[in-house]
Amino acid sequence: EVLLVESGGGLIQPGGSLRLSCAASGFTVSSNYMTWVRQAPGKGLEWVSIIYSGDSVYYADSVKGRFTISRDNSKNTLYLQMNSLRPEDTAVYFCARTPPAELPYFDYWGQGTKVTVSS
Amino acid sequence: EIVMTQSPATLSVSPGERVTLSCRASQSVRSNLLAWYQQKPGQAPRLLIYGASTRATGIPARFSGSGSGTEFIFTISSLQSEDFAVYYCQQYNNWPLTFGGGTKVEIK
């Protein structure tokens, strides 16, 4: 069974850093596109970042230069390192995976971890 | 960036009715690289449709998708009580990946 479990969210002051984790089971993160999507309170879905074959990565312009996506294949875990956090980064962050050998739509999602950036 | 525009923003519907949602792209989405998701309050999104018209595993036949280029349609043939939710389209043709703003389907 495919399962994604995020952790690492919390309350952080503007300018601070946070690292989110997404522990995967039932498949290997190295074999799939893996992505982060966020949802600000009461708002829609916003794609944040993706990692795929050969550790190629893409970022939304809103987080480029501040966030870093990575994965640890030995732990089967996806990460999102978030630096220089801003109040507008406040959101629930979901990790999600793409089915093997497919282009990036997302068939399994985690339950989300909440990040609040506030002083 | 491909901007995805969904309409209407909110739809008030009675159970049993047919529902049609629109998703328009600011530029052509080649090879119909478009997905639809359902999201209920406090839950993660759920994949319903990919490739514009292919139902994901386990998705009931009352859900369907169609369209090409810049115009896509999502249909629920007969709305069930469990279908009241927000629906999002997402293009995966270009970077950055983009979602529409969502359509909330609420009880009339």
Side-chain angles (χ1 to χ4, degrees):
Chain A
E1 179 193 7
V2 171
L3 197 59
L4 296 167
V5 179
E6 301 98 334
S7 60
L11 175 63
I12 188 78
Q13 291 189 339
S17 297
L18 212 54
R19 189 178 81 157
L20 306 184
S21 300
C22 171
S25 57
F27 74 103
T28 54
V29 297
S30 60
S31 301
N32 298 67
Y33 286 82
M34 295 296 299
T35 204
W36 290 96
V37 173
R38 68 184 181 183
Q39 187 168 37
K43 302 297 185 183
L45 302 172
E46 180 189 15
W47 172 75
V48 173
S49 182
I50 197 163
I51 187 167
Y52 57 107
S53 60
D55 284 342
S56 298
V57 298
Y58 278 101
Y59 298 96
D61 285 346
S62 57
V63 306
K64 200 173 296 181
R66 301 187 298 124
F67 289 12
T68 302
I69 191 171
S70 63
R71 56 190 171 191
D72 184 332
N73 296 335
S74 67
K75 295 182 178 179
N76 211 29
T77 298
L78 177 73
Y79 299 102
L80 185 68
Q81 177 66 44
M82 305 187 295
N83 298 332
S84 304
L85 283 162
R86 305 167 179 168
E88 56 264 36
D89 295 319
T90 294
V92 174
Y93 285 73
F94 298 98
C95 66
R97 77 146 210 187
T98 296
E102 288 281 356
L103 292 173
Y105 63 89
F106 310 112
D107 62 345
Y108 284 94
W109 297 66
Q111 85 289 350
T113 187
K114 185 176 181 180
V115 172
T116 303
V117 184
S118 174
S119 54
Chain B
E1 172 175 329
I2 300 179
V3 177
M4 308 301 290
T5 303
Q6 292 187 242
S7 61
T10 304
L11 192 60
S12 297
V13 188
S14 299
E17 288 188 0
R18 182 181 181 87
V19 169
T20 300
L21 310 182
S22 172
C23 175
R24 177 172 294 175
S26 61
Q27 57 186 275
S28 183
V29 178
R30 68 171 174 83
S31 302
N32 296 338
L33 297 178
L34 184 113
W36 289 92
Y37 302 88
Q38 176 194 68
Q39 188 181 33
K40 297 180 180 179
Q43 296 185 16
R46 173 194 180 197
L47 175 68
L48 300 176
I49 301 284
Y50 63 93
S53 61
T54 302
R55 276 189 300 277
T57 302
I59 301 303
R62 66 179 182 273
F63 297 103
S64 63
S66 63
S68 63
T70 61
E71 302 283 344
F72 297 90
I73 297 293
F74 175 79
T75 301
I76 308 173
S77 60
S78 177
L79 195 72
Q80 306 298 301
S81 58
E82 61 266 31
D83 301 336
F84 291 100
V86 180
Y87 293 84
Y88 295 95
C89 60
Q90 177 232 328
Q91 66 80 20
Y92 50 103
N93 176 60
N94 277 359
W95 306 111
L97 306 179
T98 47
F99 290 90
T103 292
K104 182 179 181 180
V105 177
E106 62 178 24
I107 300 173
K108 189 172 185 179

